[in-house]
Amino acid sequence: MKLLCVDSEPVYREIISLCAESVGAQVKSVECFDEAIHAFYDYAPDIVILDVIIKGGSGIDLVKKMKAMAGNRFVPIIFLASQTSDAVMGNCFRCGADDFIPKPFSEILFNIRLKTHMRHVELIKEMYRKNKALTYYQTMIEREHEMAHHVLNHIQTRSERNSEYVAITRLSAASFNGDLALVKTRSDGARLAFVGDFTGHGLPASIGALPVMQAFFDAVDDLLDIGKLAERINRILISVLPDYMFCAGYLVLLYPNGKILYWGGGMPNAFIRRSGGKLDQLRSNHMPLGILPAREFDAGLQSDQLDESDTLVIMSDGVLELKNISEEMLGNDRVEAIINSSYAEKSLITAQRAAEKKLAEYQGESIQLDDITLLALRRTCLN
């Protein structure tokens, strides 16, 4: 801890030096205004003690100058003064001083006050060090997030874009979306879709996304049976996810003739909005992916039919659990009403936008607490 003493009287410079050195401070003493300015710049003291009256200038002006030179650095300045009137003390504190000790002073009292300021300096230095470390780690995290975003977005671009046959909405509750929505048409004309909802949200919920994406697109290339794909994804997630994480999901294979084969585990039931306005449900009867070992995993498939002008709508539980300003969840009844009205539109893109608008209107100014994914599919080719 470095202390700068500015006093025109040699006896006080000597006393202050002895007192400060007794509590572990390193002391530099000067006697005039100009020397103090140079010493403050070259010595960079942690604490300054000075008299109100010094050679070559005013102690008040010196404090103002030192405070300006210190900038954002915390440097306590303690005044010593023979005059202890209210006016003198007021001027001292107004110019930026941090303490005031009258002359003559008790060495015991002086040391107590000095040690108090030394502790303050150490606390501020520690805070600066921690802030610097936090800033460094924040910068590193932001770079890592940027890289992860780049990798995930690059792979996600292999999924089909929104069209009159596919519409995907993904709304993140954090910087990362823990939901997956992948759609790709196979070489045989069947369209494979996966909607996955990992435990939680944000970056931790995205750690299983990369291997799942790779397995999905490999399955598209290999025309892999979706039951086998479900087994493969389950096996991957068992190996990479911690015990407390899993992935609820739907795997859907939609053939050109409208036949649907699907596997669902841990997800809200999906809906088929029929052209006449009736809502049928696809049941999610299995356990989520990444929980059961291979010998216990059930890859059994279910089937349905998507007719002309029907719309298959799959959603994550973030849709059902969306809250309004009154903390009321959207719930199944309101979701059914939104699906029924929105997907009556002939254009799937228009229908998806209508559904997004209704969700936003319901949420209002409330905070989104979970990731939201909404996938809508229609037949590409009609027989």
Side-chain angles (χ1 to χ4, degrees):
M1 184 75 63
K2 296 189 291 184
L3 183 144
L4 175 62
C5 173
V6 186
D7 200 302
S8 300
E9 300 181 50
V11 63
Y12 274 108
R13 294 201 300 273
E14 182 68 21
I15 294 172
I16 290 169
S17 295
L18 291 173
C19 290
E21 288 169 356
S22 71
V23 295
Q26 176 185 343
V27 183
K28 181 176 182 64
S29 298
V30 296
E31 63 176 352
C32 67
F33 188 100
D34 290 340
E35 288 180 355
I37 294 296
H38 291 300
F40 190 88
Y41 180 80
D42 295 331
Y43 185 57
D46 300 299
I47 299 175
V48 177
I49 297 178
L50 75 161
D51 199 345
V52 175
I53 302 172
I54 56 175
K55 293 179 181 178
S58 162
I60 300 293
D61 293 336
L62 182 57
V63 171
K64 293 178 182 179
K65 184 75 172 176
M66 287 180 172
K67 286 290 184 180
M69 293 171 65
N72 293 327
R73 193 165 67 91
F74 176 66
V75 182
I77 297 181
I78 305 170
F79 262 121
L80 299 177
S82 301
Q83 300 180 30
T84 58
S85 67
D86 291 345
V88 171
M89 286 192 290
N91 287 335
C92 291
F93 284 113
R94 277 194 295 272
C95 75
D98 299 278
D99 204 351
F100 185 98
I101 299 176
K103 286 182 178 180
F105 54 80
S106 161
E107 293 182 13
I108 295 176
L109 176 62
F110 178 86
N111 281 354
I112 291 173
R113 302 276 277 275
L114 179 58
K115 285 191 285 187
T116 298
H117 286 289
M118 290 172 69
R119 283 196 297 271
H120 288 168
V121 170
E122 287 297 336
L123 287 172
I124 295 295
K125 283 185 174 182
E126 181 65 18
M127 183 185 71
Y128 284 160
R129 284 193 291 268
K130 289 182 177 179
N131 282 345
K132 187 176 181 180
L134 286 172
T135 300
Y136 169 78
Y137 288 120
Q138 181 180 359
T139 302
M140 292 299 296
I141 289 171
E142 288 174 353
R143 289 178 181 175
E144 290 170 359
H145 279 201
E146 183 179 353
M147 180 185 69
H149 269 299
H150 176 78
V151 173
L152 290 171
N153 290 339
H154 177 72
I155 296 179
Q156 192 95 21
T157 57
R158 292 187 62 187
S159 180
E160 292 182 18
R161 297 185 179 182
N162 287 2
S163 67
E164 291 302 333
Y165 311 106
V166 176
I168 300 173
T169 297
R170 298 173 69 242
L171 305 174
S172 303
S175 59
F176 276 85
N177 195 324
D179 293 353
L180 274 180
L182 305 170
V183 180
K184 194 71 174 178
T185 300
R186 307 189 318 185
S187 60
D188 62 354
R191 177 171 280 126
L192 181 64
F194 175 70
V195 176
D197 182 0
F198 285 86
T199 309
H201 60 268
L203 182 57
S206 299
I207 60 174
L210 288 176
V212 170
M213 287 178 174
Q214 191 60 55
F216 175 88
F217 291 115
D218 286 347
V220 170
D221 296 337
D222 299 338
L223 302 180
L224 185 68
D225 175 82
I226 62 170
K228 296 293 185 183
L229 176 56
E231 292 176 345
R232 180 179 294 180
I233 292 175
N234 183 71
R235 194 164 54 247
I236 290 170
L237 295 183
I238 284 285
S239 66
V240 301
L241 292 181
D243 293 340
Y244 57 86
M245 290 189 69
F246 54 83
C247 179
Y250 269 109
L251 277 165
V252 177
L253 189 61
L254 174 60
Y255 289 94
N257 63 4
K259 180 182 177 181
I260 297 174
L261 287 178
Y262 69 93
W263 182 96
M267 291 284 281
N269 290 333
F271 294 93
I272 296 179
R273 188 199 182 277
R274 302 298 181 182
S275 56
K278 180 185 175 184
L279 284 182
D280 291 337
Q281 294 188 353
L282 274 61
R283 303 287 179 178
S284 176
N285 294 330
H286 298 294
M287 292 287 286
L289 299 157
I291 293 180
L292 298 176
R295 64 181 180 276
E296 299 178 23
F297 184 78
D298 185 358
L301 304 180
Q302 300 175 77
S303 63
D304 212 305
Q305 181 70 29
L306 195 69
D307 295 328
E308 185 177 357
S309 300
D310 290 349
T311 307
L312 170 61
V313 181
I314 303 173
M315 71 196 75
S316 62
D317 59 8
V319 177
L320 292 166
E321 296 171 3
L322 181 67
K323 291 184 178 180
N324 61 14
I325 198 68
S326 301
E327 294 293 305
E328 297 172 331
M329 287 189 183
L330 185 61
N332 196 69
D333 290 343
R334 293 190 183 95
V335 165
E336 289 186 11
I338 289 174
I339 291 173
N340 213 340
S341 60
S342 299
Y343 295 97
E345 295 281 351
K346 290 184 178 180
S347 166
L348 184 58
I349 292 177
T350 303
Q352 191 80 351
R353 288 173 181 167
E356 293 171 1
K357 182 179 179 182
K358 287 181 173 65
L359 292 177
E361 288 173 348
Y362 184 81
Q363 179 183 354
E365 298 297 322
S366 64
I367 298 173
Q368 181 183 334
L369 300 177
D370 196 6
D371 298 324
I372 286 176
T373 295
L374 194 64
L375 169 65
L377 296 176
R378 286 181 179 168
R379 286 171 58 172
T380 305
C381 301
L382 304 177
N383 292 341

